Amino acid sequence: MLSSEAKVAKITRQAYVAKAYIQVNGAEYSQQRRGHNVVVVQGATVLFWFGIYLPFFNLIQFRSGQVLPSRAFDTHGSQSEGVRLRDYLNAIRGNYIVLVAIGDEGSLHVSPAIDALKRLGASDPDVIVKLRESYALIGFAGDNKPSWIEQKSATKANGSSIISSRILLKLCKLRHFTPQTLLEIR
């Protein structure tokens, strides 16, 4: 069994300024900008290369828990950012974990992206944030939604939206061997 620890989706508010923190395996990946900060983690995949002279695989490469470059969308400052967020989220398909956290303020121009967030597992009323509310989402881009999808929001008076989760990724099944990676998300 392969295991690694991962921490994802933690928001903290300090005074009147809030930063979005998204941690995976203890490393910070959020751009910590105003608006919606998004981090995508590759789910479980496996690549096979076949040996020429051997009847068995000569190389098996497992990819799981790889963090893709993070993105930030200023859904407070620009009308076009809600559309850009929608297009980015809708382009993510398949076995990907999508982590979203709002930094400072992100409610003003997010409406074009609401359906894209819902496709990842967000739901009403939390996905529709108001001025200066905090929001965090652990979503999934695949068709079969897992039970670990979670979202939280809080009013500015109630502070941070913090999600902490552990996700076990099963890579594939090769005869009796099922490699796994454990993601701890904060």
Side-chain angles (χ1 to χ4, degrees), residues 6-9 18 23 25 28 42 50 72 74-76 84 93 110-111 114 126 129 132-133 135 137 147 156 162 167:
K7 299 179 182 180
V8 179
Q23 297 177 347
N25 289 332
E28 179 60 47
Q42 186 175 30
F50 294 94
D74 185 1
T75 49
H76 173 75
R84 286 186 59 240
R93 298 285 179 184
V110 71
S111 58
I114 295 295
D126 288 340
V129 295
R132 300 275 188 240
E133 287 186 345
Y135 178 77
L137 168 69
S147 61
K156 64 181 175 181
I162 299 172
I167 299 171

Side-chain angles (χ1 to χ4, degrees), residues 12-39:
T12 59
R13 287 190 173 270
Q14 300 171 344
Y16 295 105
V17 179
K19 286 187 177 181
Y21 295 93
I22 303 175
Q23 297 177 347
V24 180
N25 289 332
E28 179 60 47
Y29 289 96
S30 173
Q31 293 187 14
Q32 299 182 349
R33 294 192 181 158
R34 179 174 68 182
H36 285 71
N37 291 267
V38 181
V39 173

Side-chain angles (χ1 to χ4, degrees), residues 58-179:
N58 65 357
L59 176 62
I60 301 174
Q61 181 179 0
F62 299 102
R63 292 184 181 170
S64 179
Q66 177 183 2
V67 179
L68 304 180
S70 64
R71 302 283 302 268
F73 302 88
D74 185 1
T75 49
H76 173 75
S78 173
Q79 281 185 311
S80 64
E81 290 295 283
V83 173
R84 286 186 59 240
L85 174 61
R86 177 200 64 204
D87 294 345
Y88 178 72
L89 295 177
N90 283 337
I92 303 168
R93 298 285 179 184
N95 196 13
Y96 290 94
I97 300 165
V98 182
L99 312 166
V100 179
I102 293 178
D104 184 26
E105 165 42 32
S107 66
L108 195 57
H109 301 295
V110 71
S111 58
I114 295 295
D115 287 339
L117 287 163
K118 287 181 179 180
R119 183 183 69 80
L120 300 173
S123 59
D124 290 328
D126 288 340
V127 72
I128 302 170
V129 295
K130 295 181 177 74
L131 183 67
R132 300 275 188 240
E133 287 186 345
S134 64
Y135 178 77
L137 168 69
I138 299 174
F140 185 69
D143 293 330
N144 299 321
K145 298 300 182 214
S147 61
W148 46 255
I149 289 176
E150 188 175 359
Q151 72 175 359
K152 288 187 180 176
S153 68
T155 65
K156 64 181 175 181
N158 291 328
S160 302
S161 296
I162 299 172
I163 299 175
S164 179
S165 184
R166 294 173 67 143
I167 299 171
L168 182 65
L169 301 176
K170 293 183 179 181
L171 300 180
C172 69
K173 199 165 193 175
L174 298 174
R175 294 188 184 180
H176 302 290
F177 176 65
T178 305

